[in-house]
Amino acid sequence: MPALIEPHDEFMGAVQQIILSSSETDYIDQLIPVMKDVRNSDRATNLIQALNQVSNDREAEIERICNSNHQEFISSVNQLQRVREGTVTLTAEIMTLSQSIEASTEKLAEQKKALVDSRSVRQNVDDATQALKDCLEVLRLANQVHDLLAKKNHYAALRVLDELQNVHLREVTRYKIAEMIERSVPATQRMIAEAVMADLHTWLFRIRETSQFLGEVAFYHTEMRRARQKERLEQDEYLGSFKLNSAVEMVADESEEFDVLNNEEVQVDFSPLFEAMHIHDALGQNEKFRQEYAATRRRQKELLLPTTLDLLDEEGAGLSSLLESIAGFAIVEKATMTRTENLRTAADVDELWDSMCQSAVTLISTALPTVDNDEKLLKIKGVIALFIQTMESWGYSVSSLDKLLLTLFDKYAQLLKQRFSEDFQEIVSTDDYMPMPIGNLDEYDKVINVSWYTPDKERELLSFPCVLPFSQMYPLCCIDIRNFLNHIYLFSDDHFQNLNVIDETLKNSLDELLCEKVSRSLVERLSSQYPGQIVQILTNLDHFETACQELQELLVEARSSASAAGPIVLRATEEFSTAKKRAEKRIFELVNSKIDDLIETAEYDWSSTYVPDMASPYMQELTRYLSNIMSSVLLGLPVQIKELIYFESLSHISTMLLALPFDQSIRRISPQAVHAFRLDVDHLVDFVRGLDNSVLMEGLDELRQTAELMSMGAEGRDKAEEEFFDVERGRKKFGRVDKMNGAELLEKVSQGSAAASAQAEAKVTSPTVDKKAGTFSNFSSRFGVNKGQS
């Protein structure tokens, strides 16, 4: 029914759109949605029916058109027939052409396939070529690393290796060569590190070999600074108070710039060290490098120090080489610390320095006992002082070396003392102990210049030949004393901090030399029995005492330590004073011994009745001896000593003579004996009075007053006692006479007078007196001889 909608009508719209499609592609595009909606066979049938209906409608339309235009249709059919024939022909040709095209297409497909295959191969070749180029670049860089290593361009090699690792290897990570080279990078880094360390070790070896020369150059520079400081001292004394390496000296020497590490003589290039540090920093091995460098320097330090040291070498090459090497090594260490960061700390450098100093001190101390010459020791000190001043300028601590200088100075002082001790001993033992003769003015000037001696006469008033009071040993000892002073102070010319030790050692050494080798040696010779030698020893001792006093003032002026104050007192001054007293005592002993011998010959006969008219022979001999010894043997003594000897001798004579009448065996003293005694005393008094010395006269007051009291007692006891015991008169006339002694003498004289009176009365009453016997008795009483003596 027309009103009913056929099932295929719903597809008509879609079919119409399909028919109206402009191309096969659109046709399919319109058909696909319709076919998706066909769920079952009914809908498919409906679609086919719709398509058939459209086809039928088209055919009907064609038929209608054809029916209306039959003739035209026939013509068209004929035309179409002709066209069809042409079409068949064309189709045949097309088929032929198609076959030809198909054959060509197959060939073209094969060619295209070949082309596609060739393009793939070409792409693979291109990829392989690029990969090869990348790998070759990697290999080139790897080889370049080794080439740079061979050329010692370590840092450049490290930079190339870093570029290779961080850039180029990332481009070839998919290739096995990248893995191989990546694995070799650490080994290559080690090679670079080892190569740079090898170069650094070579540099360190050269530095160690150069250390001695570097130290020698540093020592020479210090010597030049010393010379310049000395010149400045000569121009301005104020600058002389500042030592080398003081702030003032360093400022004054700023104009003389000198680089010990880079000069005409030596150049130390730190580039290998900087390169090694940079490379290890790039490798992240700073701490490892620092430890290895420190260990290497410690080993080099050990190689630098010998096992033994010879200090007896005439040129001192062993010690100089040791100290120069240590100096060069330490200078490089200090320069390394200042020119780098975190490589060498101050503690590391100071540790090595202290170790080297301790080893050097040990070596020198061990070899020091072999040195037995003070001049050699002074040279050793000079080298050490130069070393100390050089290293002090680099900021190193030199306290251990200062202690070593103390040890050297002690040894030096001992050697000097030993040498001068032998000189003093030889001088004292070979002296002739005679006043020193001088032949001319030049010789006189030389002696005066070296001796502490003030002449009595002006130089222009002297006549030659002349004789100086001291013997030859005195100026010779003075020369040795001055030389000893000069040698001691030579030790303080260079760096020496303990100047007070020099002053104290000098004082003690002088005391020891003068006391033990001069004073005591002279005292030992006081046992001589020759008064002339004793007198000369006393004279020498007196001049040595004066020399010590002058020497004390000289030591104060020449004192090394400016901080020291106060006087210097030599023990030798008191020693010589004591020795001089012993010499005086010895002279007193010899003189008094002679006096004793002479007085022993007196042998007074205290009961004698003979009246002599002159002094006894022993007294005349005694005064003659005193006169001779004072004018000859004791002539060279100073006036005060001669007066003292005179005084002591006269006092001894007085004591000895006073002891004679006080002998316990003497019961009485005759007036004749009193007269003889008085004559002897008056003779002695007259002799002393002739010396025109009131002090000496005072020494005989007791003897003179005693003799006068005895004479007064012989004239009359009562009057004598009245004079003696009266306070006022006794004090004036007999003030030096002891009351008990005076009373005893008066008693003996009184008894002697009584006995003499009784004997005189007996002679008057006796007619048979033998004149010859009386004459002999008088003679024996006068001279103190017995009848049996010849």
Side-chain angles (χ1 to χ4, degrees):
M1 294 175 41
L4 295 174
I5 300 175
E6 293 295 332
H8 61 268
D9 289 344
E10 58 180 326
F11 296 102
M12 289 303 292
V15 171
Q16 289 295 330
Q17 290 181 359
I18 293 171
I19 294 172
L20 294 176
S21 297
S22 59
S23 65
E24 183 180 354
T25 304
D26 292 338
Y27 169 78
I28 294 173
D29 290 338
Q30 294 294 330
L31 181 61
I32 289 173
V34 176
M35 292 182 69
K36 286 183 178 180
D37 292 335
V38 179
R39 304 284 184 178
N40 49 50
S41 60
D42 292 335
R43 292 182 65 84
T45 303
N46 291 335
L47 176 60
I48 295 172
Q49 289 177 358
L51 291 171
N52 289 332
Q53 183 178 350
V54 171
S55 176
N56 293 332
D57 290 342
R58 293 298 177 128
E59 288 180 357
E61 186 177 357
I62 293 170
E63 184 178 358
R64 183 181 56 79
I65 292 171
C66 288
N67 289 331
S68 61
N69 297 295
H70 180 72
Q71 189 62 39
E72 293 178 3
F73 180 73
I74 294 299
S75 299
S76 297
V77 168
N78 293 333
Q79 188 179 0
L80 182 62
Q81 186 68 32
R82 290 191 296 271
V83 170
R84 183 177 181 186
E85 291 175 356
T87 303
V88 171
T89 304
L90 289 173
T91 300
E93 294 177 358
I94 290 171
M95 289 300 293
T96 304
L97 181 60
S98 176
Q99 291 175 357
S100 175
I101 291 173
E102 184 177 357
S104 299
T105 301
E106 290 176 358
K107 184 178 180 181
L108 182 61
E110 292 176 359
Q111 291 177 352
K112 184 177 181 180
K113 182 179 180 183
L115 179 59
V116 171
D117 292 340
S118 66
R119 284 180 179 176
S120 177
V121 171
R122 182 178 178 182
Q123 184 64 39
N124 291 337
V125 170
D126 291 342
D127 292 342
T129 302
Q130 186 61 39
L132 184 59
K133 287 180 180 179
D134 294 338
C135 292
L136 287 175
E137 180 65 16
V138 169
L139 289 174
R140 185 187 68 79
L141 291 176
N143 291 331
Q144 186 179 2
V145 171
H146 292 278
D147 292 340
L148 291 172
L149 278 178
K151 294 177 181 179
K152 305 295 184 181
N153 293 332
H154 305 116
Y155 183 69
L158 186 64
R159 297 303 303 165
V160 171
L161 183 64
D162 183 67
E163 180 184 355
L164 174 64
Q165 184 181 15
N166 297 319
V167 179
H168 296 279
L169 280 182
R170 292 183 179 181
E171 299 176 356
V172 293
T173 54
R174 60 186 180 277
Y175 305 118
K176 191 173 183 180
I177 189 173
E179 181 182 353
M180 295 174 60
I181 293 179
E182 184 71 29
R183 287 199 305 267
S184 69
V185 167
T188 306
Q189 289 177 339
R190 286 195 298 273
M191 287 177 61
I192 295 174
E194 290 172 359
V196 76
M197 286 304 296
D199 285 355
L200 181 64
H201 288 157
T202 302
W203 179 77
L204 288 173
F205 175 77
R206 291 174 180 170
I207 288 294
R208 183 169 68 85
E209 293 295 317
T210 312
S211 292
Q212 181 180 348
F213 186 60
L214 179 62
E216 185 179 349
V217 172
F219 283 8
Y220 176 77
H221 174 55
T222 304
E223 287 282 10
M224 293 300 99
R225 289 176 57 203
R226 282 181 179 177
R228 290 193 292 270
Q229 178 68 0
K230 186 176 181 181
E231 291 177 0
R232 288 191 287 269
L233 170 61
E234 293 173 354
Q235 297 172 2
D236 186 355
E237 292 184 1
Y238 174 73
L239 294 177
S241 59
F242 299 99
K243 298 290 186 180
L244 207 68
N245 296 322
S246 64
V248 173
E249 185 274 333
M250 295 180 74
V251 170
D253 204 58
E254 279 183 344
S255 59
E256 301 291 339
E257 293 185 1
F258 183 81
D259 189 355
V260 175
L261 296 168
N262 187 15
N263 52 75
E264 295 180 357
E265 300 294 335
V266 61
Q267 295 85 33
V268 179
D269 183 12
F270 285 87
S271 298
L273 176 62
F274 297 150
E275 184 182 23
M277 289 180 61
H278 200 47
I279 288 176
H280 282 83
D281 180 57
L283 293 174
Q285 299 177 358
N286 283 335
E287 184 62 24
K288 177 183 177 182
F289 175 71
R290 189 182 70 82
Q291 294 176 358
E292 186 172 351
Y293 183 84
T296 302
R297 292 299 280 170
R298 282 194 294 269
R299 289 193 299 270
Q300 285 191 325
K301 182 263 295 182
E302 297 298 332
L303 295 174
L304 195 69
L305 301 171
T307 55
T308 59
L309 181 64
D310 182 14
L311 294 178
L312 300 180
D313 183 11
E314 293 184 2
E315 300 298 328
L319 178 62
S320 296
S321 299
L322 171 64
L323 298 184
E324 287 168 358
S325 299
I326 293 176
F329 187 93
I331 289 172
V332 171
E333 282 292 291
K334 186 69 75 170
T336 302
M337 184 183 72
T338 56
R339 299 186 185 194
T340 60
E341 293 183 2
N342 302 325
L343 176 63
R344 302 295 287 157
T345 64
D348 295 335
V349 174
D350 290 339
E351 180 185 0
L352 279 182
W353 167 251
D354 293 339
S355 175
M356 288 189 295
C357 284
Q358 188 59 43
S359 299
V361 169
T362 301
L363 286 171
I364 295 172
S365 300
T366 303
L368 196 58
T370 61
V371 182
D372 57 358
N373 183 276
D374 56 278
E375 294 181 358
K376 180 64 178 177
L377 199 61
L378 193 61
K379 291 180 180 178
I380 294 173
K381 181 262 175 183
V383 176
I384 296 176
L386 182 62
F387 172 66
I388 290 175
Q389 290 177 328
T390 301
M391 302 319 296
E392 197 175 37
S393 66
W394 283 86
Y396 282 106
S397 172
V398 293
S399 56
S400 60
L401 297 171
D402 285 336
K403 294 179 181 178
L404 175 63
L405 286 184
L406 278 176
T407 303
L408 288 178
F409 177 71
D410 183 64
K411 174 78 172 179
Y412 178 73
Q414 292 294 332
L415 291 177
L416 270 184
K417 195 160 56 175
Q418 179 181 350
R419 176 157 71 90
F420 281 92
S421 174
E422 294 172 356
D423 289 347
F424 279 126
Q425 190 168 357
E426 182 178 0
I427 290 171
V428 172
S429 62
T430 57
D431 191 54
D432 57 4
Y433 294 97
M434 297 290 289
M436 185 176 181
I438 301 296
N440 53 59
L441 189 60
D442 290 339
E443 186 178 348
Y444 175 81
D445 289 338
K446 290 178 182 178
V447 173
I448 297 301
N449 288 335
V450 299
S451 305
W452 286 280
Y453 171 64
T454 303
D456 296 333
K457 293 182 180 181
E458 295 293 335
R459 180 172 176 274
E460 293 77 10
L461 302 178
L462 293 173
S463 59
F464 297 95
C466 67
V467 176
L468 296 179
F470 43 77
S471 65
Q472 190 175 4
M473 69 164 292
Y474 177 68
L476 292 177
C477 288
C478 289
I479 292 174
D480 268 7
I481 291 172
R482 293 182 186 274
N483 287 337
F484 185 76
L485 290 175
N486 293 333
H487 278 78
I488 285 289
Y489 283 123
L490 278 177
F491 205 89
S492 64
D493 284 349
D494 297 326
H495 175 86
F496 190 71
Q497 301 292 343
N498 304 280
L499 297 179
N500 58 324
V501 175
I502 289 183
D503 297 328
E504 188 64 24
T505 302
L506 177 59
K507 174 183 174 297
N508 294 335
S509 298
L510 279 175
D511 267 335
E512 184 175 345
L513 287 173
L514 292 174
C515 291
E516 295 184 2
K517 301 303 176 181
V518 179
S519 177
R520 294 178 188 177
S521 296
L522 292 176
V523 168
E524 291 175 359
R525 282 165 172 75
L526 292 178
S527 60
S528 173
Q529 298 298 320
Y530 299 100
Q533 185 175 1
I534 305 300
V535 167
Q536 189 60 60
I537 291 174
L538 176 58
T539 303
N540 291 349
L541 289 170
D542 183 64
H543 284 88
F544 274 117
E545 182 182 10
T546 303
C548 286
Q549 295 169 353
E550 297 285 342
L551 193 56
Q552 290 173 167
E553 298 179 2
L554 179 62
L555 291 177
V556 172
E557 295 176 0
R559 187 152 36 195
S560 301
S561 177
S563 61
I568 293 178
V569 179
L570 289 174
R571 181 168 48 88
T573 306
E574 182 64 27
E575 186 84 10
F576 280 118
S577 178
T578 303
K580 191 169 69 171
K581 291 177 182 179
R582 293 186 63 177
E584 293 172 359
K585 183 179 179 181
R586 179 58 180 163
I587 293 176
F588 297 153
E589 290 176 356
L590 293 176
V591 173
N592 293 342
S593 176
K594 181 65 175 178
I595 291 172
D596 292 344
D597 292 341
L598 290 173
I599 292 179
E600 284 178 0
T601 62
E603 295 185 356
Y604 284 103
D605 183 3
W606 297 104
S607 59
S608 172
T609 57
Y610 174 73
V611 181
D613 55 359
M614 63 177 65
S616 304
Y618 90 90
M619 182 56 70
Q620 295 179 19
E621 181 65 24
L622 180 60
T623 55
R624 204 164 33 245
Y625 169 73
L626 291 176
S627 177
N628 291 338
I629 195 172
M630 292 301 174
S631 61
S632 60
V633 177
L634 305 181
L635 182 63
L637 288 175
V639 176
Q640 64 272 20
I641 296 180
K642 278 201 300 185
E643 290 181 352
L644 179 61
I645 292 176
Y646 248 132
F647 185 83
E648 292 293 334
S649 299
L650 292 173
S651 297
H652 181 70
I653 292 172
S654 176
T655 301
M656 293 292 293
L657 291 177
L658 284 173
L660 293 176
F662 286 105
D663 193 333
Q664 295 298 322
S665 63
I666 300 174
R667 300 295 184 183
R668 60 180 67 87
I669 301 174
S670 66
Q672 293 83 359
V674 171
H675 180 69
F677 186 74
R678 178 66 182 273
L679 282 176
D680 291 342
V681 172
D682 289 344
H683 181 79
L684 179 62
V685 171
D686 292 340
F687 169 75
V688 175
R689 187 178 289 115
L691 299 176
D692 193 18
N693 191 311
S694 59
V695 176
L696 298 179
M697 284 297 298
E698 291 177 2
L700 296 177
D701 283 349
E702 183 180 4
L703 177 62
R704 180 179 54 79
Q705 291 175 10
T706 300
E708 185 176 353
L709 178 62
M710 292 173 65
S711 297
M712 187 176 292
E715 294 175 357
R717 178 175 181 178
D718 295 339
K719 181 179 179 181
E721 289 180 350
E722 182 180 355
E723 292 280 344
F724 180 66
F725 290 108
D726 183 84
V727 176
E728 185 65 23
R729 287 181 293 176
R731 183 177 62 80
K732 290 180 179 181
K733 295 184 66 175
F734 309 107
R736 301 295 297 275
V737 181
D738 182 75
K739 297 300 182 182
M740 294 297 295
N741 291 338
E744 181 180 351
L745 285 177
L746 287 177
E747 177 64 25
K748 290 183 178 182
V749 170
S750 176
Q751 293 184 8
S753 297
S757 298
Q759 186 177 5
E761 292 177 359
K763 286 184 178 180
V764 171
T765 57
S766 175
T768 58
V769 177
D770 189 346
K771 292 183 179 181
K772 291 184 178 181
T775 302
F776 179 80
S777 176
N778 292 337
F779 178 81
S780 63
S781 299
R782 172 66 183 82
F783 293 102
V785 296
N786 297 323
K787 191 172 183 180
Q789 293 175 329
S790 59

